[in-house]
Amino acid sequence: MKLLELIAPCHFGLEAVLKKEILDLGYEISRVEDGRVTFLGDMEAVCYGNIFLRTTDRILLKVGEFHAETFDQLFEETRALPWEEYIPRDGKFWVTKAASVKSRLFSPSDIQSIMKKAMVERLKDRYGISWFEETGAPYPVRVFLMKDQVTVGLDTTGISLHKRGYRLMTAKAPITETLAAALIMLTPWRENRILVDPFCGSGTIPIEAAMMACRIAPGMNRSFQAQQWENLIPAKLWEGAREEAREMADLAVETDIQGYDIDGAVIKAARENARRAGVGEKIHFQQRPVAQLSHPKPYGFIITNPPYGERIEDKKDLPELYGQMGEAFRRLATWSEYVITSYEQAEKYIGRKADKNRKIYNGMLKTYYYQFQGPRPPRRSGQEKREL
């Protein structure tokens, strides 16, 4: 099959995590930029990227790239792209999103309008028609302008990949599924280790961990925009990728994953979300405040997204809350703790400087992922490994 460039956007600061995921799928990386990774693959890679990647928001099929400083340039360069190779005569097409950073062209609505006109002119010429009814499959286009360099891609995903389909109810300040998966991947946690989220909200971090443990592909049970593109991607490619995902899933894995929250209604929603994700029996959810956080076993992991002003109306409560978190961490002295927050006094009230921290943008909000690393557990003997 023809080799394509596929663009995978992600949260700023998580490009390395996504790059590793793509490499693990067996595809070659062609470029890593702020907030996106571009890789090479065929049409089958569109299916595998959408179904298997946990940390990207969508998969874009790159149509072209060019320089444009004026709207005339934008029109001509867009018209020069080979749209007929992707969009059939009856296709419905439009520029669904335009983003511009440090570029002379900065009005999203004008960019969208001019590019649509250019696409129409190109396809009118190629198909020899003057009117497009656009009654067929949808082909939404996304465009990024960075320092006057324009990147154009067809959105193969549709509804963002962070919407796995299991989350019916969310907490007041939910963390996206893609970000939760990335936070877990940034730790050494594996399915045979303990994981606790003391501020689990609607259960996203424990659920994503359980799905990883059971090797459940995040997109296995949802649909994608490009499934309608029968002119580009045969249905057998989608079914082949889904069949591989079904064969990979292993629900016999034993886990010790726990989620706590002070809100009983939220815990009830988390249980239902976990059930819908197929991992309801892999997670123990319980209504419990962080002040009561404890665990009888050593060498576990805390990965959590605590309140930092959104879930608690008055920020004056945060010092006490983070102080309770620090006390719990001290009780779990051999554990490793990973905390994402925008609260600037987090380390002060936890009472310990993080061993590492990583800047991550959660949407437009700058957060830090504080990593408090505990000691490594002692090596197990061969007999112990066999018994586990």
Side-chain angles (χ1 to χ4, degrees):
M1 289 187 178
K2 180 182 177 182
L3 206 58
L4 310 164
E5 278 197 290
L6 302 173
I7 303 169
C10 65
H11 287 270
F12 285 89
L14 296 178
E15 298 83 5
V17 181
L18 176 55
K19 176 184 175 181
K20 184 179 185 304
E21 267 205 288
I22 294 169
L23 289 172
D24 288 346
L25 267 185
Y27 297 110
E28 180 185 345
I29 305 295
S30 61
R31 191 185 305 179
V32 178
E33 303 166 275
D34 288 344
R36 57 180 170 168
V37 179
T38 302
F39 63 103
L40 303 178
D42 53 19
M43 286 299 180
E44 187 178 59
V46 173
C47 307
Y48 275 81
N50 276 298
I51 292 172
F52 285 93
L53 292 177
R54 299 182 188 276
T55 62
T56 184
D57 295 322
R58 61 189 64 251
I59 302 295
L60 303 176
L61 195 168
K62 184 176 174 180
V63 178
E65 190 172 23
F66 54 84
H67 188 85
E69 300 180 14
T70 68
F71 285 120
D72 284 341
Q73 283 181 300
L74 180 67
F75 181 90
E76 293 301 332
E77 294 290 350
T78 302
R79 186 169 63 174
L81 296 176
W83 294 106
E84 67 280 359
E85 294 181 8
Y86 306 99
I87 302 173
R89 183 185 295 260
D90 66 344
K92 180 181 180 181
F93 55 95
W94 72 103
V95 180
T96 183
K97 185 174 182 180
S100 178
V101 178
K102 298 179 181 178
S103 298
R104 290 171 176 80
L105 305 179
F106 57 84
S107 167
S109 60
D110 289 337
I111 293 167
Q112 289 169 297
S113 175
I114 287 167
M115 291 187 68
K116 167 73 175 190
K117 290 176 182 176
M119 292 167 68
V120 168
E121 289 303 311
R122 170 80 181 203
L123 293 174
K124 278 169 60 177
D125 178 64
R126 291 303 187 269
Y127 289 131
I129 56 178
S130 59
W131 177 257
F132 291 92
E133 293 186 359
E134 300 192 52
T135 56
Y139 294 79
V141 175
R142 289 181 172 245
V143 57
F144 308 94
L145 284 79
M146 170 61 76
K147 296 181 180 178
D148 302 321
Q149 193 70 13
V150 184
T151 305
V152 185
L154 284 168
D155 180 8
T156 74
T157 301
I159 296 172
S160 174
L161 290 175
H162 83 267
K163 295 190 176 180
R164 318 287 203 216
Y166 64 73
R167 201 160 70 171
L168 286 178
M169 178 181 172
T170 63
K172 292 179 182 177
I175 191 171
T176 66
E177 292 88 327
T178 48
L179 179 54
L183 297 181
I184 298 165
M185 290 179 181
L186 283 168
T187 78
W189 179 82
R190 295 296 180 265
E191 66 272 8
N192 61 344
R193 304 288 298 276
I194 305 163
L195 188 152
V196 175
D197 180 358
F199 299 97
C200 72
S202 51
T204 309
I205 290 176
I207 291 170
E208 289 294 316
M211 290 177 68
M212 289 181 195
C214 296
R215 302 181 72 190
I216 297 174
M220 186 171 69
N221 296 315
R222 56 158 285 177
S223 60
F224 308 99
Q225 187 76 72
Q227 285 179 250
Q228 301 177 60
W229 300 354
E230 296 178 359
N231 63 314
L232 297 177
I233 308 177
K236 66 180 182 181
L237 294 184
W238 290 105
E239 184 50 38
R242 288 189 196 281
E243 181 60 28
E244 184 168 333
R246 287 190 287 267
E247 291 175 356
M248 281 181 55
D250 180 9
L251 296 178
V253 171
E254 293 186 7
T255 60
D256 189 348
I257 301 173
Q258 302 175 29
Y260 304 132
D261 200 281
I262 198 169
D263 188 332
V266 166
I267 287 293
K268 183 178 179 181
R271 290 195 184 103
E272 176 60 18
N273 290 340
R275 185 194 67 78
R276 287 172 53 83
V279 293
E281 296 182 357
K282 303 298 178 183
I283 308 169
H284 172 69
F285 288 108
Q286 185 178 22
Q287 182 178 1
R288 181 191 292 189
V290 70
Q292 296 177 15
L293 177 61
S294 63
H295 198 287
K297 296 181 181 179
Y299 306 112
F301 287 78
I302 292 171
I303 305 176
T304 194
N305 173 45
Y308 33 91
E310 282 70 21
R311 289 178 63 187
I312 295 180
E313 294 295 329
D314 193 343
K315 286 197 174 184
K316 72 177 187 299
D317 294 333
L318 293 182
E320 180 181 0
L321 185 69
Y322 280 72
Q324 292 173 350
M325 199 187 317
E327 290 173 10
F329 289 177
R330 287 186 283 278
R331 290 195 298 270
L332 299 169
T334 58
W335 283 47
S336 295
E337 295 93 8
Y338 297 81
V339 180
I340 185 170
T341 180
S342 67
Y343 183 45
E344 296 178 354
Q345 301 295 314
E347 290 174 301
K348 174 182 176 181
Y349 291 106
I350 287 173
R352 176 183 169 189
K353 184 172 177 59
D355 297 293
K356 294 181 180 179
N357 72 62
R358 187 187 194 103
K359 183 165 65 176
I360 299 171
Y361 279 86
N362 185 0
M364 298 302 294
L365 181 65
K366 183 172 71 173
T367 63
Y368 286 93
Y369 193 34
Y370 294 102
Q371 303 168 49
F372 304 91
Q373 296 169 349
R376 290 189 176 188
R379 294 176 65 87
R380 297 189 181 102
S381 68
Q383 178 64 30
E384 286 176 321
K385 289 180 181 178
R386 286 192 292 272
E387 290 174 353
L388 287 176

